[in-house]
């Protein structure tokens, strides 16, 4: 590592949004050929610092030095020209264009002034191949999962002449294999002397790939450390400014339950291509974890259980009585709710305030003719903002301006506000900082203790085991096994999840 | 500064500027005379004549808020005018009886409501793109109106009907009270119930709203029904004004003026947040511009160009990007010998960050 001169250096960076100070005189530097992690709680200012670095916003104060030269970027385009490429936290691709078009947008190969479609697909295929991806470059991006879209965004960013690559929570929707693939690419780039900024709430990943860590708290710089010299527990302490709260173990429902005692029980549920003949039973007050690889059908199952997708076949019984859950509305009226993994497109109403977003489901349930009064909406929202520690605590802020983790909490608040009886949480802790993650896990426990049935989906097996009383394992659209969490550990669960279907011995 | 931040500041500023330009160009513009206890003058004319556009634009606002568009409003006006006048003109009825006129209006508006429901059905149930769905009626509606009037321009002399367009209530034109009443009714329905908030939610993020249990289909349908109904009333007022049902001229291009008025009022064509007060200001701006053209005596051949130029100016005045540009030029001017790089205002960053 060349300690002599940083490749990029930000000094005294200050960014204000109206009254909020998102960044307060922050210094930040990166050396060539290093992987640098920016750590901090949700809303600490990580994404804001990244935007200041990549020209997506102009700081109120501060200087930027790139390669020894003072620079002022007037937009992301300037930064790209200078060799700084970014994959933003919220994917900003064009779902109705093809994968190849998305990767090469703005620098399409041309022949006689016309876009050369074949050359473009060829080049995209090579780039994807380098990333270890076997995708059809001609397919529209929108038909692919969030994870694939995230990889395409990364492909788009690294296919340039790079000096600095910024990855804002790139791994949040990837599974282990894809993360390994991404890390391989990161190490390659590092060899080539590229400086990589890697933001993630997964401490394991940070410790695996990063050389150096800069910690932010409440918009201020806490310090810069070498990964090898900073213990995890100290890192968490520095990020939160306090000890992390502990996961509260609760009494578990451990015996396998049958449909007699189940609050919700689904039989032979099939939905689209994703789910075939699934049987699910969840008792009152039970947390059922769902584990499976990407594409195993976790989200499809969740959607089929909650009326978001109409199942093709199967029966859903609630307290023993068969119900048709054909629309989310019907499901909601029975207290069956779904919290989507895709907060931006399926969760939040970006231009509306925190208060309106929290009140939305309740208001929809009451119908247009029985409006909640403005005071009622504020009271409701304020109580949830307090309960979930949503920041900023000002309920009139449009949710679009919240940091990723706080957006997740707003979505949860909206669903909890209608006092559901059965809730499916699809990746509820994705993008959530270590402190808040434990809070949400504890919240799930409390909800279950209050009699709520919970289905908990997460790509992190450790978390599924922690939170779930039992864990259902999905493989290729089938529930292959349901085990009590007490009987397995992360490694044996991993083996169950990944095991190719062997003939029963 | 607070005032400038208000979302209606720039639309209102544009309207006031337009009125001031008129008064400066011709002081008669502001003159209001009293005759028989009734007010007359160019400004009063604007209030009276804006009735059809106001009603249409109100409906258009709701449709646009759901991310839709209703191109059929002009054709619906033609149909409702044709229905109303055909009933009044029928040999068995007395055109001067209030009962006949009321029945004619009710039937005409009901027909318009059905047409709106048809649009809503195509969009919300069949999922057809709003432009295409409403294009069907836009093209077919005028043909239907011609069929109703047997291919003629039906003319009537009916005092109760004429009163709607040119009568006075107390000191102001009756037509003004009609649109005012509907602005209030629509405003109360949207803002005193949760309909407005749910409409905005559907417009901003349809899928998130569906998952939150919002009846998006019903809400979108309601918007098109409202648009059709209001266009029907506009059609009756238009017919009352010219005392005839003219299937080709009624509401000609009004869909475009309505869209223009909605946008001038600050509601985005992307759907979502809408402002009824903004639409009122937008309509008055468009109508004032129309009177300006008459009042300044712009020759008919040049009036579209004049109209277009003013619209561009008004839109520029309202554009946040132009505001920023103006501010940064101003800042540079002030700081020209001080700091080289004037720190940019927070607004600018937010805009770039988006
Ligand atoms: N456009 C904006 N307008 C107003 N406030 C904003 C805007 N963007 C960010 N903020 C505020 O700035 C602060 C920092 O946000 P930022 O997105 O940088 O956090 P983060 O560290 O990336 O969090 P996360 O881990 O949740 O992604 C937050 O309090 C956020 O609410
Ligand atoms: Mg962030």
């Amino acid at each position: 590592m060349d300690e002599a001169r940083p490749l990029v250096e930000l000094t005294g960076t200050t960014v204000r949004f109206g009254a909020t100070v998102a960044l307060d005189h922050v210094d930040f530097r990166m050396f060539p050929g290093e992987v640098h992690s920016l750590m901090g709680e949700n809303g600490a200012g990580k994404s804001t610092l990244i935007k200041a670095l990549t020209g997506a916003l102009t700081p109120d104060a501060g200087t930027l030095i790139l390669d020894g030269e003072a620079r002022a970027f007037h937009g992301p385009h300037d930064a790209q020209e200078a060799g700084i490429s970014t994959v933003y936290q919220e994917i900003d691709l064009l779902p109705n264009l093809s994968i190849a078009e998305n990767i090469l947008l703005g620098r399409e190969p041309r022949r006689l002034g016309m876009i050369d479609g074949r050359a473009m697909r060829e080049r995209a295929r090579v780039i994807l191949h380098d990333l270890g991806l076997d995708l059809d470059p001609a397919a529209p991006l929108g038909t692919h999962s969030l994870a694939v879209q995230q990889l395409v965004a990364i492909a788009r960013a690294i296919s340039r002449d790079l000096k600095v690559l910024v990855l804002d929570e790139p791994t949040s929707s990837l599974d282990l294999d894809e993360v390994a693939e991404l890390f391989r690419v990161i190490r390659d780039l590092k060899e080539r002397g590229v400086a990589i900024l890697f933001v993630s709430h997964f401490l394991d990943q940070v410790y695996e790939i990063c050389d150096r860590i800069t910690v932010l708290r409440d918009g201020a710089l806490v310090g810069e450390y070498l990964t090898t010299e900073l213990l995890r527990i100290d890192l968490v302490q520095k990020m939160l400014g306090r000890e992390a709260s502990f996961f509260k173990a609760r009494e578990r429902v451990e015996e396998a339950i049958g449909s007699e005692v189940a609050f919700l029980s689904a039989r032979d549920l099939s939905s689209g291509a994703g789910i075939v003949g699934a049987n699910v039973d969840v008792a009152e007050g039970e947390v059922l974890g769902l584990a499976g690889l990407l594409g195993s059908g976790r989200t499809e199952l969740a959607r089929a259980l909650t009326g978001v997708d109409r199942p093709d076949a199967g029966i859903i019984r609630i307290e023993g009585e068969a119900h048709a859950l054909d629309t989310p509305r019907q499901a909601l009226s029975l207290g069956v709710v779904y919290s989507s993994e895709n907060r931006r497109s399926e969760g939040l109403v970006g231009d509306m305030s925190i208060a309106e977003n929290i009140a939305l489901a309740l208001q929809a349930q009451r119908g247009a003719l029985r409006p909640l009064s403005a005071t009622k909406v504020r009271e409701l929202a304020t109580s949830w903002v307090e309960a979930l520690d949503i920041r900023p605590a000002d309920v009139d802020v449009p949710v679009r301006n919240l940091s990723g983790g706080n957006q997740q909490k707003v979505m949860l608040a909206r669903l909890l506000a209608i006092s559901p009886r059965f809730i499916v949480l699809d990746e509820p802790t994705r993008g959530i900082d270590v402190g808040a993650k434990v809070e949400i896990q504890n919240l799930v426990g409390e909800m279950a203790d209050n009699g709520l049935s919970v289905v908990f989906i997460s790509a992190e097996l450790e978390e599924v085991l922690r939170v779930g009383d039992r864990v259902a394992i999905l493989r290729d659209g089938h529930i292959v096994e349901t085990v009590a969490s007490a009987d397995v550990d992360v490694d044996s669960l991993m083996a169950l999840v990944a095991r190719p279907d062997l003939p029963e011995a | 500064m607070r005032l400038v931040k208000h979302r209606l500041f720039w639309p209102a500023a544009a309207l006031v500027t337009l009125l001031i330009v008129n008064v400066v160009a011709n002081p008669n513009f502001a003159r209001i005379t009293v005759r028989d206890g009734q007010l007359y003058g160019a400004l009063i004319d604007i209030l009276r004549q804006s009735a059809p556009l106001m009603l249409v634009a109100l409906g258009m606002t709701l449709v646009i808020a759901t991310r839709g568009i209703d191109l059929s409003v002009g054709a619906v006006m033609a149909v409702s005018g044709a229905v109303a006048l055909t009933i009044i003109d029928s040999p068995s009825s007395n055109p001067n009886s209030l009962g006949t006129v009321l029945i004619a209006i009710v039937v005409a508006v009901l027909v318009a409501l059905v047409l709106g429901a048809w649009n809503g059905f195509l969009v919300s149930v069949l999922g057809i793109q709003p432009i295409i769905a409403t294009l069907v009626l836009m093209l077919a509606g005028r043909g239907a109106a011609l069929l109703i009037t047997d291919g003629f321009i039906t003319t009537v002399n009916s005092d109760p009907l004429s009163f709607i367009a040119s009568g006075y209530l107390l000191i102001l034109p009756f037509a003004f009270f009609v649109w005012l009443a509907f602005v209030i009714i629509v405003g109360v329905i949207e803002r005193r119930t949760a309909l407005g908030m749910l409409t905005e939610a559907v417009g901003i993020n349809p899928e998130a709203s569906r998952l939150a249990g919002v009846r998006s289909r019903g809400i979108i349908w309601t918007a098109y029904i409202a648009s059709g109904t209001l266009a029907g009333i506009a059609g009756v007022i238009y017919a009352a004004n010219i005392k005839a049902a003219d299937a080709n001229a009624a509401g000609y291009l009004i869909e475009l003026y309505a869209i223009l008025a909605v946008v001038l009022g600050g509601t985005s064509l992307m759907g979502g947040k809408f402002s009824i007060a903004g639409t009122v200001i937008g309509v008055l701006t468009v109508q004032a511009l129309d009177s300006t053209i008459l009042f300044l005596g712009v020759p008919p051949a040049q009036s579209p160009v004049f109209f277009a130029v003013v619209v561009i100016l008004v839109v520029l005045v309202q554009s946040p990007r132009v505001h920023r540009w103006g501010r940064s030029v101003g800042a540079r001017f002030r700081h020209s010998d001080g700091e080289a790089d004037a720190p940019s205002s927070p607004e600018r960053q937010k805009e770039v960050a988006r």
Side-chain angles (χ1 to χ4, degrees), chain A residues 74-401:
Chain A
H74 293 292
H77 188 78
D78 284 3
Q80 259 159 31
E81 294 282 292
I84 302 181
S85 249
T86 320
V87 179
Y88 290 103
Q89 186 170 12
E90 307 291 348
I91 300 169
D92 52 354
L93 298 174
L94 304 162
N96 43 9
L97 293 188
S98 73
I99 290 181
E101 284 165 326
N102 268 294
I103 294 178
L104 295 167
L105 192 73
R107 53 213 158 96
E108 301 87 351
R110 285 172 189 271
R111 207 174 54 190
L112 305 175
M114 307 281 278
I115 290 175
D116 182 349
R118 189 179 311 154
M120 182 154 88
R121 284 190 292 279
E122 217 23 70
R123 200 184 295 177
R125 195 187 305 280
V126 171
I127 295 167
L128 289 169
H129 187 81
D130 281 350
L131 263 172
L133 289 173
D134 183 23
L135 294 171
D136 175 10
L141 181 72
T143 56
H144 289 87
S145 70
L146 209 59
V148 170
Q149 298 193 21
Q150 197 141 36
L151 289 168
V152 169
I154 292 166
R156 173 175 164 71
I158 63 172
S159 56
R160 303 162 185 273
D161 237 359
L162 260 192
K163 282 194 191 124
V164 179
L165 175 64
V166 179
L167 301 169
D168 196 357
E169 302 199 29
T171 53
S172 57
S173 43
L174 305 186
D175 69 20
L176 288 177
D177 288 346
E178 289 156 326
V179 171
E181 205 54 56
L182 176 65
F183 282 6
R184 191 183 57 72
V185 175
I186 290 180
R187 290 195 181 101
D188 267 7
L189 292 169
K190 189 175 147 171
E191 290 291 296
R192 282 164 41 191
V194 175
I196 295 141
L197 177 53
F198 179 84
V199 178
S200 170
H201 289 294
F202 296 110
L203 295 189
D204 287 344
Q205 295 179 0
V206 169
Y207 275 87
E208 181 181 343
I209 192 91
C210 297
D211 306 305
R212 202 187 287 268
I213 298 175
T214 293
V215 180
L216 294 180
R217 191 192 323 140
D218 287 337
L221 177 70
V222 176
E224 190 201 76
Y225 313 91
L226 286 175
T227 314
T228 45
E229 292 171 3
L230 184 66
L231 291 178
R232 285 182 193 218
I233 187 149
D234 294 335
L235 171 62
V236 171
Q237 155 79 38
K238 287 188 193 317
M239 282 167 60
L240 306 186
R242 58 184 150 81
E243 302 288 328
S245 41
F246 287 103
F247 178 70
K248 297 193 208 89
R250 44 185 280 277
E251 223 170 289
R252 291 170 181 260
V253 186
E254 265 163 23
E255 327 83 74
I257 53 160
S259 50
E260 324 78 57
V261 289
F263 170 73
L264 180 143
S265 100
R267 286 288 166 274
D268 301 322
L269 202 62
S270 296
S271 168
I275 289 294
V276 190
N279 295 332
V280 179
D281 294 295
V282 189
E284 202 163 279
E286 186 196 24
V287 181
L288 175 70
L290 273 192
L293 296 179
L294 203 73
S296 59
R298 289 167 303 188
T299 295
E300 284 85 346
L301 179 58
R303 294 171 67 100
L305 284 174
T306 51
V308 176
D309 292 339
R310 185 190 300 231
D312 297 328
I315 304 177
I316 295 178
R317 290 200 182 80
I318 291 171
E319 295 184 308
E321 213 177 300
H323 283 281
L325 301 183
D326 289 343
T327 62
R329 199 179 158 76
Q330 279 173 357
L332 282 155
S333 66
L334 294 163
V336 173
V337 306
Y338 172 63
S339 153
S340 171
E341 61 173 336
N342 210 334
R343 329 182 248 272
R344 195 156 73 140
S345 60
E346 296 179 355
L348 296 162
V349 184
D351 283 339
M352 285 190 159
S353 65
I354 296 182
E356 284 174 311
N357 267 281
I358 291 181
L360 182 62
L362 188 60
Q363 180 61 67
Q365 212 173 39
R366 293 166 61 103
L369 297 182
R370 291 173 55 219
L372 291 159
S373 71
T375 11
K376 194 75 197 295
V377 168
R378 292 185 68 91
E379 272 170 26
L380 178 80
T382 311
S383 67
W384 282 106
V385 163
E386 269 166 30
L388 302 185
D389 189 23
I390 294 172
R391 277 179 259 174
D394 176 0
V395 297
D396 295 323
V397 171
V399 283
R400 134 171 71 69
N401 290 347

